[in-house]
Amino acid sequence: MGGVAWTEEEDHLLKKCIEQYGEGKWHRIPLLAGLNRCRKSCRLRWLNYLRPNIKRGSFEKEEIDLIIKLHKLLGNRWSLIAGRLPGRTANDVKNYWNCHLSKRLSAQEAEEKQINRNNVEAIRSEPLNFATSPTRLIIPEVPSYQLPQEESTTSTPEVVQQVEDAKEHQVVLQKEDFSYLGLDQEHGYAGDLGMDFQFEEVKFAIDDESSISKWDWDDLIVDMDLWNESL
DNA sequence: AACTTATCCAACCGCCGCTAC
DNA sequence: AGTAGCGGCGGTTGGATAAGT
């Protein structure tokens, strides 16, 4: 193993100690249990192996699908992903991902990204010009450069109509949703690559009515709920 | 059967954020 | 404000085992 394997005796002592004193206070557990292990080892052994209701065996298809979907949303946040999979530990999910899914999906994603590259660059070519208000932010359904400027000094009836038409096709998110997504509220950029990618996925779904993207708006709403709960 | 290579996964390491002082 | 101690997390390691030659 990657370190010194736990013996049955050690497992027994740790289990008995936690049953008696409860989880937490890991710094005291080695002393209380009479174990020559550090607090982290004890915690990890409990969480990944000894804790009741840990699910063993291979992952079911539903679990794999959920892992893939959650990983798209959350990135390598294994504890959050595992939280959605009853009985599975973060370590299990991480190991499964690294052994089974990462290679398979990276090849798949590279292919998808190549297909979508032009669209991404079109969106990225200018900052997304979100209209902001104290409580709401608006994602233009069409790229910002295609939107007429509301503040235009030439507010002819045609321009006014264009603005109204554009507004009809905008998607409105609550401001709080942006913080969940880790978006930079000024420019609409996600704070990290994972969420940036996620955001673009949503944009694809919104931009292209005939989109074959896995993501549609209902997916986002569901996933926003998952995201919200997991924080 | 003997050896090599690939895969799996438990355990460790280093870092981070939070809290108390 | 600085720091120490803690729990928690994700990345990495390396031994065990399976599969291949």
Side-chain angles (χ1 to χ4, degrees):
Chain A
M1 294 301 151
V4 182
W6 281 68
T7 64
E8 276 187 37
E9 174 68 11
E10 286 177 312
D11 283 346
H12 177 70
L13 288 171
L14 178 59
K15 204 172 176 179
K16 206 172 137 188
C17 181
I18 289 171
E19 279 166 3
Q20 189 173 350
Y21 298 102
E23 283 186 58
K25 306 290 177 193
W26 293 109
H27 63 289
R28 295 182 62 206
I29 291 289
L31 193 67
L32 292 170
L35 287 164
N36 189 25
R37 298 275 184 175
C38 70
R39 60 190 172 95
K40 292 182 176 191
S41 289
C42 293
R43 178 180 165 273
L44 220 57
R45 184 63 178 175
W46 173 256
L47 291 178
N48 291 336
Y49 194 81
L50 296 175
R51 198 175 46 165
N53 304 322
I54 288 182
K55 198 171 173 182
R56 299 273 155 203
S58 53
F59 282 74
E60 293 164 15
K61 189 181 178 305
E62 291 74 21
E63 291 178 307
I64 296 166
D65 290 344
L66 191 55
I67 290 170
I68 292 168
K69 194 170 180 180
L70 288 170
H71 188 270
K72 259 186 176 296
L73 180 69
L74 302 168
N76 293 359
R77 300 181 68 181
W78 307 115
S79 61
L80 291 181
I81 295 171
R84 309 293 307 181
L85 296 161
R88 300 296 187 183
T89 70
N91 211 34
D92 284 341
V93 174
K94 180 174 59 180
N95 281 332
Y96 189 82
W97 179 269
N98 288 335
C99 290
H100 296 90
L101 297 176
S102 65
K103 286 175 195 167
R104 193 176 92 193
L105 289 177
S106 61
Q108 198 176 317
E109 277 177 12
E111 195 178 324
E112 285 174 7
K113 275 193 174 178
Q114 188 60 39
I115 292 167
N116 291 326
R117 187 172 297 280
N118 292 339
N119 287 343
V120 173
E121 282 168 3
I123 294 167
R124 278 182 172 283
S125 60
E126 293 184 18
L128 293 169
N129 186 23
F130 294 153
T132 60
S133 74
T135 57
R136 298 179 93 80
L137 288 155
I138 299 172
I139 304 174
E141 186 178 36
V142 292
S144 59
Y145 51 80
Q146 291 177 16
L147 282 175
Q149 294 300 308
E150 199 165 359
E151 302 81 359
S152 170
T153 52
T154 57
S155 295
T156 63
E158 289 76 17
V159 170
V160 170
Q161 184 57 48
Q162 278 182 305
V163 170
E164 291 307 311
D165 289 346
K167 277 181 175 174
E168 277 183 28
H169 293 89
Q170 286 174 339
V171 179
V172 180
L173 287 182
Q174 294 295 333
K175 199 168 187 174
E176 305 82 66
D177 296 339
F178 275 67
S179 60
Y180 292 148
L181 287 168
L183 294 172
D184 178 328
Q185 295 185 0
E186 208 170 310
H187 299 101
Y189 292 142
D192 61 272
L193 275 177
M195 294 314 298
D196 194 27
F197 176 72
Q198 177 60 32
F199 180 63
E200 286 163 6
E201 288 277 309
V202 175
K203 283 291 294 178
F204 292 142
I206 296 167
D207 287 345
D208 180 4
E209 286 182 5
S210 63
S211 172
I212 55 167
S213 166
K214 292 182 288 301
W215 289 91
D216 59 25
W217 195 245
D218 287 338
D219 278 336
L220 177 65
I221 300 304
V222 169
D223 288 331
M224 290 297 286
D225 289 340
L226 294 177
W227 181 257
N228 191 4
E229 283 175 25
S230 65
L231 289 176

